[in-house]
Amino acid sequence: MSTKDEPPLDDELSAVVSMNCEGQIIGWNEHAARVFGWPAHEVVDLHASATIVAMRDRVHLNAALARCLLVGSPTVVGHVVELRARHRDGHEFPAEFAIVMSENESQGPTFVAIVTDISERKLAERRAHEARSGAEGANREKSEFLSRMSHELRTPLGAILGFAELLEMGGAAGDPLTAEQEGMVRHILVAGKHLLELINEALDISRIESGHVTLSIEPVHVSELVDDVLGIVAPLAQAKSVSVTTDLSDAQTCDVLADRQRLKQVLLNLTSNAIKYCPEGASITISADTPDATTMRIEVRDTGPGIPKALRHRLFQPFDRLGAEATGIEGTGLGLSLSRRLAQAMGGALEAVFDVPRGACFRITLQASERQQPQALERQLVGRRTSRPATVSEGRRVVLCIEDNPSNFMLIESILAMRPNVQLLAAIQGRLGVDLAREHRPDAILLDVHLPDMSGDEVVRLLRHDPRTADIPIVVVSADATAAQIRRLRKEGIRDYLTKPLKVSVFLDALDSVLSVAAATPVGAVS
């Protein structure tokens, strides 16, 4: 039952029921007879609450009549109440009763109830609620899927990027790479880091769809960003003998205000699409110009087959891949739709330009920003630089790594080869890790949160509640990058949380910091 402040207006289709102050029916129009199934001559003198209202709602009708009576004015609206109405054949339906009190010289106070069958409204509300509940459930399932997918993709990617970074640094043994090998490693790192960026986007996709995507708007040097994009798409362009050139002379005196990562995603999508749909020997040009002091336009133009007029209205439709059935080109059909929404989220626009003599052209329009002088930028960065923590080089240190993935353990083992004073213990199960921690009381513990026998949360709790291990610093190393997981474990008392794929320098800095503290406060002081 719910109430409202105003009754609906009466009209010739409304069921009108008149009642005396005792609730007996004294009047009944033709529409009321159709709604309730009672002819007027049979229903007059019967009590409304016992005749046209479901038993469980009779008290609510009587209460509404009492409130109208207490008002004491013949011109004031008494009450609007939703009740379960009752038909003569016994079936019930939702109805709205708008009750007004009036004065009758012979009968005293009387009530007029304008009754509206709201079955369709309630059905629509129920369907809307079910749809909303279904959408919320789907969103929850999507979030859980993204979390699982993030972990499953980050785990092997961690090994790929970690070992590639070690190779780039010359390896644990310090063996130099040839120039050709260095180029190969750079390609692995660039492509792997881009894949990591896509995984991060997958975690953020629900916010993109709801319009609440997190952005970091700052001046972005377009030519540097384009160089990054070209480095990623170069193998694809070479494989198809497609040339990619740039014309960025107009972008040398100003930057564009954007989220660097999102703009890179948009440019990468447009450029890779152009390469995929262009025939061999075609050319692609990425250009930028400033039509006025506050605007920058970035265009990706190709000399391919172009977009047929009959298909242009479908360009930015999600999951719609134009001509895919004829070309066999792989893809999801989401790229252009998401790119446009990202451009709009950055305060700009993405559109297709059709007044070109040949091929296809896509234009990103964003706000321009005056280029900072290098000296000014250097002054800004000075305050942000921090020195790298000193390497722990004195004394022997023991580190326990609780990790079930062999590739990830091998990566950590290879990294720690750069710290010859560190002895590494290994456990592939949480319970075994806890037992080893109690027995050896290491200087630090590296912990994965997804283990075959128990969760990382359980391992942390067991270690924290045991006096023998309560003071051992724990550094979580996990592919689970969800904010809720990180907050939860930090509350449990972990020292640091590193997400896979590991950046070698960041990992070493964190470990050096933890071991430095451990050296100053030896584990095992607890009795």
Side-chain angles (χ1 to χ4, degrees), residues 259-311:
D259 181 295
R260 179 182 176 84
Q261 191 55 48
R262 309 297 187 181
L263 181 56
K264 180 179 176 182
Q265 181 182 350
V266 173
L267 276 174
L268 185 60
N269 176 66
L270 296 178
T271 307
S272 59
N273 271 359
I275 295 172
K276 285 192 292 185
Y277 285 96
C278 276
E280 290 189 4
S283 62
I284 297 168
T285 302
I286 304 176
S287 62
D289 72 301
T290 50
D292 56 62
T294 62
T295 306
M296 181 179 290
R297 300 183 303 193
I298 306 171
E299 291 186 351
V300 179
R301 182 177 303 196
D302 64 63
T303 59
I307 303 165
K309 289 183 178 180
L311 301 179

Side-chain angles (χ1 to χ4, degrees), residues 40-310:
H41 68 276
E42 292 186 23
V43 80
V44 169
D45 294 334
L46 298 179
H47 281 272
S49 61
T51 308
I52 62 173
V53 177
M55 181 176 293
R56 65 179 181 274
D57 279 354
R58 290 176 184 177
V59 64
H60 300 305
L61 175 61
N62 292 333
L65 296 178
R67 279 192 290 272
C68 288
L69 190 61
L70 287 174
V71 171
S73 170
T75 61
V76 176
V77 173
H79 207 58
V80 179
V81 61
E82 290 182 8
L83 305 170
R84 293 294 299 180
R86 184 173 181 274
H87 192 272
R88 184 179 186 177
D89 63 11
H91 84 267
E92 299 176 358
F93 58 92
E96 186 177 74
F97 286 68
I99 305 170
V100 181
M101 192 189 80
S102 62
E103 291 286 350
N104 185 291
E105 291 183 1
S106 61
Q107 296 177 315
T110 61
F111 304 98
V112 176
I114 303 169
V115 184
T116 306
D117 186 342
I118 57 173
S119 298
E120 292 186 4
R121 183 206 303 173
K122 289 298 182 182
L123 177 61
E125 290 175 356
R126 185 168 64 253
R127 287 175 175 170
H129 174 73
E130 291 172 352
R132 190 162 52 247
S133 298
E136 291 171 354
N139 279 334
R140 284 192 298 272
E141 291 177 2
K142 180 176 68 177
S143 297
E144 293 171 2
F145 166 75
L146 290 175
S147 178
R148 290 195 302 271
M149 182 187 71
S150 170
H151 177 263
E152 294 302 324
L153 293 177
R154 280 172 175 270
T155 296
L157 188 57
I160 293 170
L161 286 178
F163 282 118
E165 192 173 348
L166 280 176
L167 287 173
E168 186 182 44
M169 296 170 66
D175 298 328
L177 301 178
T178 66
E180 183 180 8
Q181 289 171 333
E182 287 179 353
M184 293 176 179
V185 170
R186 280 196 297 271
H187 277 299
I188 294 173
L189 285 172
V190 169
K193 288 175 181 177
H194 173 63
L195 180 56
L196 176 60
E197 292 163 3
L198 293 181
I199 294 171
N200 291 335
E201 289 297 338
L203 290 174
D204 207 26
I205 194 169
S206 60
R207 275 179 267 179
I208 294 174
E209 292 175 348
S210 64
H212 294 93
V213 58
T214 301
L215 298 173
S216 176
I217 303 298
E218 60 184 357
V220 176
H221 196 342
V222 172
S223 60
E224 292 179 357
L225 189 67
V226 170
D227 285 343
D228 289 346
V229 171
L230 294 182
I232 295 172
V233 301
L236 179 61
Q238 291 170 2
K240 290 197 65 176
S241 300
V242 172
S243 65
V244 184
T245 59
T246 62
D247 180 8
L248 304 173
S249 56
D250 286 355
Q252 298 306 314
T253 58
C254 67
D255 294 328
V256 64
L257 289 177
D259 181 295
R260 179 182 176 84
Q261 191 55 48
R262 309 297 187 181
L263 181 56
K264 180 179 176 182
Q265 181 182 350
V266 173
L267 276 174
L268 185 60
N269 176 66
L270 296 178
T271 307
S272 59
N273 271 359
I275 295 172
K276 285 192 292 185
Y277 285 96
C278 276
E280 290 189 4
S283 62
I284 297 168
T285 302
I286 304 176
S287 62
D289 72 301
T290 50
D292 56 62
T294 62
T295 306
M296 181 179 290
R297 300 183 303 193
I298 306 171
E299 291 186 351
V300 179
R301 182 177 303 196
D302 64 63
T303 59
I307 303 165
K309 289 183 178 180

Side-chain angles (χ1 to χ4, degrees), residues 452-468:
D453 60 332
M454 65 173 63
S455 69
D457 301 58
E458 294 177 88
V459 174
V460 171
R461 282 192 288 271
L462 288 173
L463 293 172
R464 284 290 167 260
H465 288 85
D466 189 327
R468 294 168 292 180

